[in-house]
Amino acid sequence: MGDKRPTLMDVAEAAGVSRALVSIVMRNAPGASDATRSKVQEAAKALGYRPDSRARLLRSSRTRLLGVSYSTAHAFHAEIVDAAYAGATERGYDIALSAIANGRPEPRAIESLLDLGCEALIMISPTLGEQELSGYAARLPVVSLLRDDVGESLDSVSSDDHAGIRIAVEHLSALGHEQIVHVDGGDAVSGPQRREAFEAEMAKRGLEARVVPGGPTEEDGLRAGQSLLDELPTAVIAFNDRCALGVWESFRAAGLRVPEDVSILGYDDSQFARLSYVQLSSISQDAPLLARAAVDRAIDRLEGSTAAAHLVRTPHLVVRRTTGVRRGA
């Protein structure tokens, strides 16, 4: 058959049964004996036959597809996607992914999901304005994940940024640190909220809230870390783990030891933080918990719940090797 994709008829001829019987077996429907099922399955395997899911979706009134948009620039998004697949499968749905990348803006990523027939959207850290988001929500259920300032027409599942920063400051304060710097996330989603939370928590303790410009990448953290070398703090809270690793590299290159000379605390508890040679202390947003909550919210909206809901989860601290008692304490 060359490069032609095997069909139901090809399987039927190989198994010596009717096309209708092959269809019954492939749909796992009643009406075929165990012997026939075994014969058909063996023929399908020998031919390399795979059901055409696209054709099945076209014949169905529902796709049971959840569309997920994510950014290739954020490693943490990949961990959320992994957990979303598991949560969707448990409830009989599948996931379609669409990436936001250089040359592929968010609206294009979303439109491709709509073209696939997705029944609901889960948008990880959406950057669109409230009006644009509401336009999509008027067409189908939309869940914003990691961002909660999206208006009342969308569902949202987010992590409490203020609680996360409070936990970070409390941890470092308990270790004797008073000269704590926050390397912020710039205009990234949650960046302003974490910066404001840091300023509020430091003011509550009567400490100077020193903030330096940063961003979500290692390069942002590297630049921020280099700017701190002339007036070194005793501890740094970075916007996320990637930023924290950049800060760490800038200190390492300057001959500083972490945490002996300066402590570094990340945010997200991503795979980077858990690497054996990194072991970065970090604030965990619990990606699996957030992803499953978003999936459940999207499916609940599809299956009968009509009111949008805004769920906020509390993050927690994961202590590893990069935070320690203040030097000289």
Side-chain angles (χ1 to χ4, degrees), residues 23-305:
S23 177
I24 286 172
V25 173
M26 291 304 161
R27 290 184 288 111
N28 199 28
S33 68
D34 290 343
T36 297
R37 288 183 188 279
S38 178
K39 187 191 302 183
V40 169
Q41 289 165 353
E42 289 176 4
K45 182 177 180 180
L47 291 172
Y49 172 80
R50 294 179 64 248
D52 189 341
S53 58
R54 294 170 300 176
R56 184 178 70 250
L57 292 177
L58 287 172
R59 292 192 299 269
S60 172
S61 60
R62 292 195 59 187
T63 64
R64 301 188 75 82
L65 268 179
L66 305 178
V68 178
S69 62
Y70 70 102
S71 172
T72 58
H74 298 289
F76 184 58
H77 288 192
E79 297 186 42
I80 292 175
V81 167
D82 282 347
Y85 270 114
T89 299
E90 287 180 4
R91 297 196 60 176
Y93 284 75
D94 205 350
I95 294 285
L97 297 179
S98 191
I100 302 161
N102 288 335
R104 195 168 196 264
E106 192 168 20
R108 182 177 172 189
I110 296 169
E111 289 299 331
S112 71
L113 293 172
L114 297 177
D115 290 342
L116 286 172
C118 292
E119 297 184 329
L121 296 178
I122 297 173
M123 301 168 65
I124 305 177
S125 297
T127 60
L128 296 176
E130 186 175 323
Q131 185 174 356
E132 293 170 290
L133 293 172
S134 296
Y136 290 117
R139 301 166 63 179
L140 76 174
V142 178
V143 180
S144 169
L145 182 50
L146 301 182
R147 176 185 164 194
D148 60 2
D149 58 335
V150 290
E152 296 304 315
S153 61
L154 274 71
D155 288 76
S156 68
V157 175
S158 60
S159 180
D160 188 336
D161 287 312
H162 196 127
I165 293 296
R166 183 184 68 248
I167 292 167
V169 173
E170 286 175 348
H171 170 60
L172 293 173
S173 295
L175 294 172
H177 295 281
E178 295 182 344
Q179 299 174 35
I180 306 171
V181 164
H182 176 49
V183 177
D184 75 8
D187 294 329
V189 171
S190 293
Q193 289 86 346
R194 292 178 193 173
R195 181 170 56 247
E196 291 170 9
F198 175 75
E199 292 170 343
E201 289 301 319
M202 292 294 282
K204 187 188 301 182
R205 292 165 174 77
L207 301 174
E208 178 189 0
R210 186 179 168 199
V211 177
V212 299
T217 69
E218 291 91 338
E219 291 77 10
D220 295 320
L222 186 64
R223 286 192 296 270
Q226 290 168 343
S227 75
L228 292 172
L229 294 177
D230 291 336
E231 190 179 348
L232 191 69
T234 65
V236 173
I237 300 172
F239 167 70
N240 65 9
D241 292 338
R242 290 182 63 188
C243 181
L245 292 178
V247 173
W248 189 359
E249 175 57 26
S250 69
F251 291 167
R252 187 199 64 78
L256 297 170
R257 300 167 302 164
V258 175
E260 291 84 357
D261 296 319
V262 58
S263 289
I264 300 177
L265 184 63
Y267 207 110
D268 286 342
D269 190 31
S270 64
Q271 292 178 350
F272 291 119
R274 301 191 292 270
L275 291 172
S276 60
Y277 61 89
V278 175
Q279 291 294 294
L280 177 72
S281 294
S282 187
I283 300 297
S284 173
Q285 299 194 74
D286 200 334
L289 180 67
L290 292 173
R292 287 172 181 263
V295 166
D296 285 341
R297 194 65 212 140
I299 295 174
D300 288 347
R301 288 292 304 277
L302 285 171
E303 297 184 351
S305 176

